[in-house]
Amino acid sequence: MQKGIENINKFTSIMLDVKNEALAQIVDAGNINELEELKIAYLGRNGKLTTLIKKIKDLSISEKKQAGGLINEVKNTILDALATQKNTLKESARDWFDASIPGKKPTIGHLHLITQAIREISSTFEKIGFVRVRYPEVEWDWYAFESLNIPRDHPARDDWETFFIDTPPHSKYGLMVLTPHTSSGQVREMMRVKKPPIRMLNIAKNYRRQSDVSHVPMFHQFEGLVIDEGISVAHLKGTLDYFARNFFGKDRKTRLRPHHFQFTEPSFEVDISCGVCKGNGCKLCKEGWLELGGAGMVHPNVLKNGKIDPNKYTGFAFGWGVERTFMMKAGLEIGDIRLLYSPDLKFLRQF
Ligand code: DAH
């Protein structure tokens, strides 16, 4: 390589050439092996830098000192460059992209099963002309109870275990409550529409003081209300059977059992034929029927409270729990219904 080193200037210039050449090659190195080879080529026993260092014997003493400083600097620069390039190569090895490896699927959520149920219930009833409405969740006592023929001191009021809002009572509407059932939409709907026909579907959140494996303090109901001239129990039965066939399955039907509600007369409990034994009786249903919820012919007092003439119009109503109805459809047996409203994704992802 270098023939002789006449003076420090010449030495410095050669050193810098070697340094630049080394740095250019290091940056170009495509893998770790090439880097190892370059390290040997410059810093190894017979490396370019090592050979050059041996030549400083030709320099004067003061120049030797100067040369020593330069040697250290060049050597460290080359070592740093080697280390940096090594890291760069390692990084890019990590980023290496193999298009043949199956990709990671992004997690995709889905509607909560109660939202799915609400949509399905709505579309089933919308097909036969029901119109979905919404009424306040924070409601007056009057709409929730009094207008439904349940006077303030009536023992039936205990059944609803209502949450009361801590505000002074309204002179006509009484206390404020969290609506305990969707029936509170009945009189509101009569007042909104004013003149029948009415075909209401009110699906809403309801609140009651209850929490155990089969009850949650917030749950959902769907309430049907149909009012027109000449509406009879036959229309109610036809509507319920339509729902049973279309929501639960072609071979399902309903049965009405006499019951009592303040706001309907006559009142019924609605049962649906068991999907497992088709009404013959089995372990799931015992007698062939499963209980869905309440229904009845709208009480004349309720029509009057909604400013509808009970001598001209009649109507039917029904009100059932969304959670219960959906679980019955899916054949789900959820040990603890509170899980539906827990953030437990392991549970929720199943549906
Ligand atoms: N509101 C009642 C409840 O929450 C259910 C109900 C019964 C609704 C009979 C109705 C009905 O519309 O006619 O238990």
Side-chain angles (χ1 to χ4, degrees), residues 160 180-181 183 186 208 221 223-224 261 263-264 294-296 317-319:
W160 276 268
H181 57 173
S183 303
Q186 288 195 13
R208 294 186 195 180
Q221 282 186 336
E223 180 101 6
F261 295 105
F263 36 94
T264 42
F318 55 87

Side-chain angles (χ1 to χ4, degrees), residues 10 47 61 64 78 116 129 167 172 193 202 224 249-250 263-264 270 285 290 306 336 342 345 349:
K10 179 88 178 156
I61 303 217
K64 272 185 189 145
I78 292 175
Q116 295 175 37
T167 46
K172 173 167 183 206
V193 177
N202 180 25
K250 270 200 256 80
F263 36 94
T264 42
V270 182
C285 63
L290 299 158
D336 186 343
S342 77
L345 289 180
R349 279 202 183 113

Side-chain angles (χ1 to χ4, degrees), residues 304-320:
K304 273 188 226 159
N305 286 331
K307 307 249 181 313
I308 287 181
D309 180 0
N311 296 315
K312 188 166 179 206
Y313 296 105
T314 48
F316 67 76
F318 55 87
W320 304 340

Side-chain angles (χ1 to χ4, degrees), residues 290-303:
L290 299 158
E291 187 185 314
L292 265 183
M297 299 305 293
V298 181
H299 195 289
N301 287 351
V302 178
L303 291 172

Side-chain angles (χ1 to χ4, degrees), residues 9-252:
N9 289 341
K10 179 88 178 156
F11 180 78
T12 306
S13 133
I14 297 172
M15 272 301 256
L16 293 181
D17 285 348
V18 170
K19 180 177 95 171
N20 289 338
E21 185 191 279
L23 293 183
Q25 287 182 348
I26 289 168
V27 170
D28 270 356
N31 57 50
I32 307 276
N33 278 349
E34 276 179 43
L35 280 182
E36 285 303 320
E37 281 163 19
L38 284 171
K39 190 174 179 184
I40 295 166
Y42 285 91
L43 306 175
R45 205 185 306 160
N46 297 315
K48 286 185 186 176
L49 197 70
T50 322
T51 317
L52 199 53
I53 294 167
K54 286 181 193 150
K55 302 250 159 110
I56 62 170
K57 62 178 187 316
D58 300 338
L59 297 173
S60 68
I61 303 217
S62 70
E63 285 179 330
K64 272 185 189 145
K65 263 197 191 155
Q66 242 181 301
L70 186 63
I71 289 165
N72 276 339
E73 189 199 309
V74 171
K75 196 175 164 180
N76 287 335
T77 308
I78 292 175
L79 283 171
D80 280 354
L82 285 166
T84 308
Q85 181 66 2
K86 198 170 175 176
N87 277 339
T88 311
L89 287 172
K90 273 195 204 150
E91 281 296 320
S92 55
R94 211 175 296 146
D95 287 347
W96 188 69
F97 179 69
D98 180 352
S100 68
I101 291 174
K104 273 192 203 151
K105 277 198 187 150
T107 20
I108 295 176
H110 64 73
L111 293 174
H112 190 275
L113 81 160
I114 294 306
T115 309
Q116 295 175 37
I118 289 174
R119 292 197 176 182
E120 216 177 308
I121 292 165
S122 309
S123 74
T124 308
F125 280 110
E126 277 161 6
K127 284 184 193 129
I128 54 168
F130 280 79
V131 176
R132 181 157 179 213
V133 296
R134 284 157 198 260
Y135 286 115
E137 278 175 40
V138 183
E139 183 54 287
W140 295 110
D141 174 284
W142 192 78
Y143 288 104
F145 295 118
E146 198 110 337
S147 70
L148 293 171
N149 207 32
I150 317 175
R152 198 153 298 174
D153 53 0
H154 195 284
R157 292 272 290 259
D158 294 344
D159 295 348
W160 276 268
E161 304 235 359
T162 309
F163 288 108
F164 288 90
I165 306 282
D166 193 8
T167 46
H170 185 281
S171 58
K172 173 167 183 206
Y173 299 120
L175 291 166
M176 233 183 219
V177 299
L178 293 186
T179 187
H181 57 173
T182 42
S183 303
S184 55
Q186 288 195 13
V187 170
R188 281 196 177 269
E189 178 73 353
M190 293 177 205
M191 292 194 163
R192 182 182 75 85
V193 177
K194 295 195 177 79
K195 200 175 156 344
I198 289 174
R199 288 193 193 89
M200 173 195 88
L201 183 68
N202 180 25
I203 308 186
K205 291 191 176 81
N206 302 133
Y207 302 87
R208 294 186 195 180
R209 288 191 51 199
Q210 52 185 19
S211 179
D212 56 49
V213 289
S214 50
H215 294 94
V216 269
M218 187 282 295
F219 61 105
H220 298 78
Q221 282 186 336
F222 60 106
E223 180 101 6
L225 176 72
V226 171
I227 301 174
D228 207 343
E229 287 181 43
I231 294 291
S232 71
V233 176
H235 295 109
L236 169 63
K237 182 73 165 76
T239 306
L240 298 177
D241 280 339
Y242 161 84
F243 181 71
R245 277 197 311 276
N246 287 277
F247 186 78
F248 288 101
K250 270 200 256 80
D251 53 348
R252 311 291 286 276

